[in-house]
Amino acid sequence: MKTSRDIIVIGLGGMGSAAACHLAARGQRVLGLERFGPAHNRGSSHGGSRITRQSYFEDPAYVPLLLRSYELFAKLERDTGRDIATLCGGVMLGRPDSRTVAGSLRSAQEWGLPHELLDAKEVRRRFPTLTPGEDEVALYEERAGFVRPEATVTAHVQLALQAGAELRFEEPVTRWEVLPGGKGVRVHTADDVYTAGHLVVCPGAWAPRLLAGLGIGFAIERQVMYWFQPPGGTAPFEPGRHPIYIWEDAEGVQIYGFPAIEGPDGGAKVAFFRKGSDCDPETIDRTVAEEEVAAMAAQLAPRIPALPGRLRKAVTCMYTTTSDEHFVLARHPAHPDSVTVACGFSGHGFKFVPVIGEIVADLALNGTTEHPIALFDPLRAPLGQSATPEGETTT
């Protein structure tokens, strides 16, 4: 058994790397444990880009966290010199009463966020790559854009190491337990056993295994990201000409996409939002079928007709989704003195990574935070199941 640390962090993807960074910066002796390598492509924190936006259709309660996250992304860039966030503008498209448009407008109005409402003609004028129907509108947000997940994770890992954290990769956790009397925690890995005063669990798609005692039925969903090479070249899709977008059709199906940010031969990335299939993180099918590519191209053809040319690549990732699609972020109900959990980010969490790291550090050290996180209580309805006090395991 290794010497005890102040805090062990399980999982060093987006949330875990940020937590390790913030905790180490506050003088904690941190041990981080990750089953894969740094900034890997086996979970949810990869794919070159993630949308960031403030007019948040999911719920206005997220907006204060987004504002802080924007500040922390900028600080992360300054502290590491890495290119992480690009604010190229974004549109939320659909019918006026769609969740994407109406929900975004609600958040923008409630928080006084700068925005514009554009009719279909104005969308086509400003962004010739987009062809909305006459019954569709868009909310335009100048400060929307994208963040780079691999660069974000790498930056947080870099700062954590500089602050003295010990980060161990390729060392999967098999089990954890709270010591008798709540006097710390013990974590078992494939290689060793470690103890600490407190445990932070950021398990991503491994939440059903590592946090079974929460009593939450996480759905692990296989998602696919696609990069298409426009037949006419990527110039019309460059940042500044082509925005990030989320587009909801009349049936409620959402797609999202990005400018061409990987050069003239990299294509432009697109994906469905919440049209995945159930999977297991250990056995996920990472092969993308021809019919999946065809379905994506068919959705794009009437909306962005200049895009669905040759497929450059297609890559899978995973969502870990709660029943209400909101996060789980709190002290563990069964182990409030010993364990903090950050999970269930439901496919829309990466834009919050740096502020989640700050919140986790607050919770682990103080048991509370000034950030508004009541929405993320693991005992809320409809999650509503009581956590059990047993130790949690994985295979």
Side-chain angles (χ1 to χ4, degrees), residues 257-276:
F258 300 81
I261 64 174
E262 298 182 15
D265 297 323
K269 176 183 167 185
V270 298
F272 285 105
F273 188 42
R274 307 205 179 286
K275 198 180 178 183

mmCIF file of all heavy atoms in Angstrom, residues 257-276:
data_model
loop_
_atom_site.group_PDB
_atom_site.id
_atom_site.type_symbol
_atom_site.label_atom_id
_atom_site.label_comp_id
_atom_site.label_asym_id
_atom_site.label_seq_id
_atom_site.Cartn_x
_atom_site.Cartn_y
_atom_site.Cartn_z
ATOM 1 N N GLY A 257 -22.688 21.258 -35.486
ATOM 2 C CA GLY A 257 -21.493 21.235 -36.311
ATOM 3 C C GLY A 257 -20.603 22.436 -36.084
ATOM 4 O O GLY A 257 -20.933 23.359 -35.319
ATOM 5 N N PHE A 258 -19.487 22.437 -36.814
ATOM 6 C CA PHE A 258 -18.387 23.363 -36.581
ATOM 7 C C PHE A 258 -17.867 23.914 -37.910
ATOM 8 O O PHE A 258 -18.092 23.315 -38.964
ATOM 9 C CB PHE A 258 -17.219 22.638 -35.892
ATOM 10 C CG PHE A 258 -17.557 22.036 -34.572
ATOM 11 C CD1 PHE A 258 -18.196 20.803 -34.493
ATOM 12 C CD2 PHE A 258 -17.258 22.694 -33.402
ATOM 13 C CE1 PHE A 258 -18.518 20.238 -33.275
ATOM 14 C CE2 PHE A 258 -17.571 22.135 -32.168
ATOM 15 C CZ PHE A 258 -18.206 20.908 -32.104
ATOM 16 N N PRO A 259 -17.119 24.989 -37.844
ATOM 17 C CA PRO A 259 -16.350 25.386 -39.016
ATOM 18 C C PRO A 259 -15.280 24.331 -39.329
ATOM 19 O O PRO A 259 -15.028 23.422 -38.532
ATOM 20 C CB PRO A 259 -15.703 26.707 -38.587
ATOM 21 C CG PRO A 259 -16.438 27.153 -37.376
ATOM 22 C CD PRO A 259 -16.941 25.910 -36.712
ATOM 23 N N ALA A 260 -14.649 24.484 -40.483
ATOM 24 C CA ALA A 260 -13.518 23.624 -40.841
ATOM 25 C C ALA A 260 -12.285 24.162 -40.125
ATOM 26 O O ALA A 260 -11.695 25.156 -40.549
ATOM 27 C CB ALA A 260 -13.313 23.615 -42.353
ATOM 28 N N ILE A 261 -11.895 23.521 -39.033
ATOM 29 C CA ILE A 261 -10.832 24.056 -38.168
ATOM 30 C C ILE A 261 -9.544 23.243 -38.266
ATOM 31 O O ILE A 261 -8.577 23.549 -37.579
ATOM 32 C CB ILE A 261 -11.294 24.119 -36.701
ATOM 33 C CG1 ILE A 261 -11.576 22.721 -36.155
ATOM 34 C CG2 ILE A 261 -12.522 25.000 -36.570
ATOM 35 C CD1 ILE A 261 -11.908 22.699 -34.671
ATOM 36 N N GLU A 262 -9.541 22.227 -39.116
ATOM 37 C CA GLU A 262 -8.366 21.360 -39.221
ATOM 38 C C GLU A 262 -7.645 21.522 -40.551
ATOM 39 O O GLU A 262 -6.944 20.625 -41.001
ATOM 40 C CB GLU A 262 -8.783 19.903 -39.003
ATOM 41 C CG GLU A 262 -9.374 19.656 -37.623
ATOM 42 C CD GLU A 262 -9.751 18.207 -37.397
ATOM 43 O OE1 GLU A 262 -9.319 17.345 -38.175
ATOM 44 O OE2 GLU A 262 -10.479 17.929 -36.431
ATOM 45 N N GLY A 263 -7.818 22.664 -41.193
ATOM 46 C CA GLY A 263 -7.131 22.912 -42.445
ATOM 47 C C GLY A 263 -7.951 22.483 -43.645
ATOM 48 O O GLY A 263 -9.004 21.868 -43.523
ATOM 49 N N PRO A 264 -7.470 22.782 -44.859
ATOM 50 C CA PRO A 264 -8.241 22.530 -46.079
ATOM 51 C C PRO A 264 -8.539 21.071 -46.345
ATOM 52 O O PRO A 264 -9.481 20.750 -47.075
ATOM 53 C CB PRO A 264 -7.368 23.129 -47.183
ATOM 54 C CG PRO A 264 -5.994 23.210 -46.593
ATOM 55 C CD PRO A 264 -6.183 23.449 -45.144
ATOM 56 N N ASP A 265 -7.761 20.166 -45.768
ATOM 57 C CA ASP A 265 -7.987 18.738 -45.999
ATOM 58 C C ASP A 265 -8.662 18.042 -44.819
ATOM 59 O O ASP A 265 -8.852 16.827 -44.850
ATOM 60 C CB ASP A 265 -6.652 18.036 -46.300
ATOM 61 C CG ASP A 265 -5.998 18.562 -47.572
ATOM 62 O OD1 ASP A 265 -6.736 18.863 -48.524
ATOM 63 O OD2 ASP A 265 -4.755 18.678 -47.594
ATOM 64 N N GLY A 266 -9.020 18.811 -43.792
ATOM 65 C CA GLY A 266 -9.576 18.188 -42.596
ATOM 66 C C GLY A 266 -11.079 18.025 -42.595
ATOM 67 O O GLY A 266 -11.627 17.293 -41.778
ATOM 68 N N GLY A 267 -11.772 18.723 -43.508
ATOM 69 C CA GLY A 267 -13.220 18.653 -43.528
ATOM 70 C C GLY A 267 -13.844 19.461 -42.405
ATOM 71 O O GLY A 267 -13.168 20.150 -41.638
ATOM 72 N N ALA A 268 -15.177 19.399 -42.340
ATOM 73 C CA ALA A 268 -15.938 20.074 -41.286
ATOM 74 C C ALA A 268 -16.684 19.019 -40.489
ATOM 75 O O ALA A 268 -17.303 18.115 -41.044
ATOM 76 C CB ALA A 268 -16.918 21.086 -41.889
ATOM 77 N N LYS A 269 -16.653 19.173 -39.181
ATOM 78 C CA LYS A 269 -17.207 18.166 -38.270
ATOM 79 C C LYS A 269 -18.694 18.413 -38.024
ATOM 80 O O LYS A 269 -19.119 19.551 -37.796
ATOM 81 C CB LYS A 269 -16.444 18.208 -36.950
ATOM 82 C CG LYS A 269 -16.968 17.269 -35.869
ATOM 83 C CD LYS A 269 -16.157 17.466 -34.598
ATOM 84 C CE LYS A 269 -16.809 16.816 -33.403
ATOM 85 N NZ LYS A 269 -16.074 17.113 -32.157
ATOM 86 N N VAL A 270 -19.472 17.310 -38.027
ATOM 87 C CA VAL A 270 -20.903 17.352 -37.751
ATOM 88 C C VAL A 270 -21.278 16.114 -36.943
ATOM 89 O O VAL A 270 -20.545 15.123 -36.933
ATOM 90 C CB VAL A 270 -21.744 17.400 -39.044
ATOM 91 C CG1 VAL A 270 -21.447 18.655 -39.829
ATOM 92 C CG2 VAL A 270 -21.498 16.163 -39.888
ATOM 93 N N ALA A 271 -22.433 16.170 -36.286
ATOM 94 C CA ALA A 271 -22.900 15.006 -35.530
ATOM 95 C C ALA A 271 -24.365 15.193 -35.181
ATOM 96 O O ALA A 271 -24.889 16.318 -35.188
ATOM 97 C CB ALA A 271 -22.084 14.818 -34.251
ATOM 98 N N PHE A 272 -25.026 14.091 -34.879
ATOM 99 C CA PHE A 272 -26.338 14.147 -34.257
ATOM 100 C C PHE A 272 -26.159 14.413 -32.762
ATOM 101 O O PHE A 272 -25.186 13.971 -32.152
ATOM 102 C CB PHE A 272 -27.089 12.823 -34.423
ATOM 103 C CG PHE A 272 -27.631 12.584 -35.801
ATOM 104 C CD1 PHE A 272 -27.016 11.687 -36.650
ATOM 105 C CD2 PHE A 272 -28.767 13.245 -36.234
ATOM 106 C CE1 PHE A 272 -27.516 11.455 -37.922
ATOM 107 C CE2 PHE A 272 -29.284 13.023 -37.494
ATOM 108 C CZ PHE A 272 -28.658 12.125 -38.355
ATOM 109 N N PHE A 273 -27.132 15.129 -32.183
ATOM 110 C CA PHE A 273 -27.137 15.342 -30.747
ATOM 111 C C PHE A 273 -28.277 14.513 -30.168
ATOM 112 O O PHE A 273 -29.437 14.716 -30.518
ATOM 113 C CB PHE A 273 -27.348 16.833 -30.457
ATOM 114 C CG PHE A 273 -27.195 17.222 -29.016
ATOM 115 C CD1 PHE A 273 -26.175 16.701 -28.230
ATOM 116 C CD2 PHE A 273 -28.065 18.136 -28.436
ATOM 117 C CE1 PHE A 273 -26.032 17.074 -26.908
ATOM 118 C CE2 PHE A 273 -27.928 18.522 -27.111
ATOM 119 C CZ PHE A 273 -26.907 17.984 -26.348
ATOM 120 N N ARG A 274 -27.941 13.550 -29.323
ATOM 121 C CA ARG A 274 -28.926 12.665 -28.694
ATOM 122 C C ARG A 274 -29.621 11.752 -29.699
ATOM 123 O O ARG A 274 -30.837 11.630 -29.711
ATOM 124 C CB ARG A 274 -29.974 13.467 -27.930
ATOM 125 C CG ARG A 274 -29.351 14.428 -26.951
ATOM 126 C CD ARG A 274 -30.265 14.760 -25.817
ATOM 127 N NE ARG A 274 -29.601 15.663 -24.909
ATOM 128 C CZ ARG A 274 -28.630 15.316 -24.073
ATOM 129 N NH1 ARG A 274 -28.219 14.067 -24.023
ATOM 130 N NH2 ARG A 274 -28.058 16.212 -23.291
ATOM 131 N N LYS A 275 -28.856 11.146 -30.566
ATOM 132 C CA LYS A 275 -29.408 10.115 -31.429
ATOM 133 C C LYS A 275 -28.437 8.947 -31.441
ATOM 134 O O LYS A 275 -28.076 8.412 -32.488
ATOM 135 C CB LYS A 275 -29.639 10.649 -32.846
ATOM 136 C CG LYS A 275 -30.589 9.783 -33.668
ATOM 137 C CD LYS A 275 -30.792 10.346 -35.058
ATOM 138 C CE LYS A 275 -31.706 9.425 -35.860
ATOM 139 N NZ LYS A 275 -31.868 9.901 -37.260
ATOM 140 N N GLY A 276 -28.011 8.545 -30.236
ATOM 141 C CA GLY A 276 -27.048 7.473 -30.111
ATOM 142 C C GLY A 276 -27.721 6.148 -29.798
ATOM 143 O O GLY A 276 -28.943 6.014 -29.836
#
